[in-house]
Amino acid sequence: MTTRGYATGPAPNAKWKYVPQSGSYPQGFNVGGIHCGVKKDGKSLDLALVTSELPCSAAAVFTKNVFKAAPVVMGREMLDKRKGYGIRGLVANSGCANAVTGKGGMEDALAMGRGVDKLVGEEESSTLVMSTGVIGQRLPIKKILDGIPEAYKILAQSHEAWLNTAKAICTTDTFPKLCSKSFTFPGSSTTYKIAGMAKGAGMIHPNMATLLGFMATDAPVSPEALQNILTHAVERSFNAISVDGDMSTNDTVALLANGAAGGKTVEAGTEAEAVLRAVVTEFAEELSKLVVRDGEGATKFVTVSVKDANNFADAKQVASTIARSPLVKTALYGRDANWGRILCATGYSGIDGIVPEKTNVSFIPTDGSPELKLLVNGEPENVDEERASEILAMEDLEIRVSLGTGKGGEAAYYTCDFSHE
């Protein structure tokens, strides 16, 4: 069972349903979050630190924005140099993005990593660095470098420690986003664990779409298999969400595997890789959905599912186009069953092979009640407007489009409405 969490302090009433009382965390990872002074309120946690007792395999997916922040550039170079192995930890600050900061910004990012390397006894760079917050300002690097040893002193493996770490990477988030889960491989009696956190509420759109995300597992995984797994998972999770259509300069999702639970190493191309890929994909979907639920001004969580397309890529393209449409998103907020906006977005999605006479559109309630068919094989239904309004009043709902190709391609995209906020 997956658990979610919020550290301390107020959260909006509607968000309390995502607050856990416990978690299931991977062996060998020590985590913590402190206030070091990046945020000027004097109390909010703003420095997160994760270390592994064992060297980790590591994989990451980064923003495709041309203006990549210094930590993104540093992280990519470090992983390439190490070929995805020997990573000992991650340090992240919130409150300042260290983006568009020139050579000085790179020096600051490197200094953050070195500060952790020394504490874990590594001579070469072995620490991933993340930053999030305001663009175009230099980090208060002395405060961060002074804070890293203080954070190291309080590292722990407890639920509270993981919650505080998740809280320390938040900016405009209304709640920290933390998940954890246990899993096994077929034929094995060993129980493995995975935990992860994400931050993001605004400037959310692929590629990437989480601003920051981090996952860790105590399963043994080769770097090649880990990168395959993360790339697959991100394409169906963090790269399948949209809040406002803006892509950040800092977006990074990283996955570490330290093998502390023992067992045979998961190698690329094996059945074990396929099993772990499914676990991580489902887990990443849960984390990414929390980002959408916390979208700035969002009142609804909407799944756009496209069925029976030519392939996954076509299905995702249509779902993405619908999810990004301002007209669709404002209609959802206004509880307006104007399904023509959905059909319009489908039509300009740019894929080949859409046949109007085979296209179907429905609203799917999340309470288990029957779907509301809006368009069936290109023919409009006599829509019950009262029923449509009831469905659109729900916090969660699904828009389903079937293209009727007979080829079975499908994909989902997660989005929210546009409110006055």
Side-chain angles (χ1 to χ4, degrees), residues 69-104:
V72 170
V73 176
M74 176 201 161
R76 186 189 297 275
E77 290 178 351
M78 192 258 287
L79 288 177
D80 286 347
K81 182 178 179 180
R82 281 192 167 267
K83 299 186 183 335
Y85 185 72
I87 307 306
R88 291 295 303 278
L90 177 147
V91 61
N93 75 273
S94 56
C96 181
N98 192 11
V100 198
T101 47
K103 293 181 180 178

Side-chain angles (χ1 to χ4, degrees), residues 39-103:
K39 292 179 180 175
K40 297 178 174 60
D41 63 5
K43 59 182 180 180
S44 295
L45 304 184
D46 55 15
L47 183 65
L49 182 59
V50 177
T51 65
S52 174
E53 296 168 2
L54 298 171
C56 298
S57 294
V61 179
F62 300 98
T63 182
K64 294 184 179 179
N65 196 305
V66 172
F67 293 98
K68 294 175 176 60
V72 170
V73 176
M74 176 201 161
R76 186 189 297 275
E77 290 178 351
M78 192 258 287
L79 288 177
D80 286 347
K81 182 178 179 180
R82 281 192 167 267
K83 299 186 183 335
Y85 185 72
I87 307 306
R88 291 295 303 278
L90 177 147
V91 61
N93 75 273
S94 56
C96 181
N98 192 11
V100 198
T101 47
K103 293 181 180 178

Side-chain angles (χ1 to χ4, degrees), residues 164-178:
N164 283 335
T165 308
K167 189 175 184 182
I169 63 173
C170 290
T171 52
T172 59
D173 306 64
T174 64
F175 67 98
K177 297 150 189 72
L178 175 68

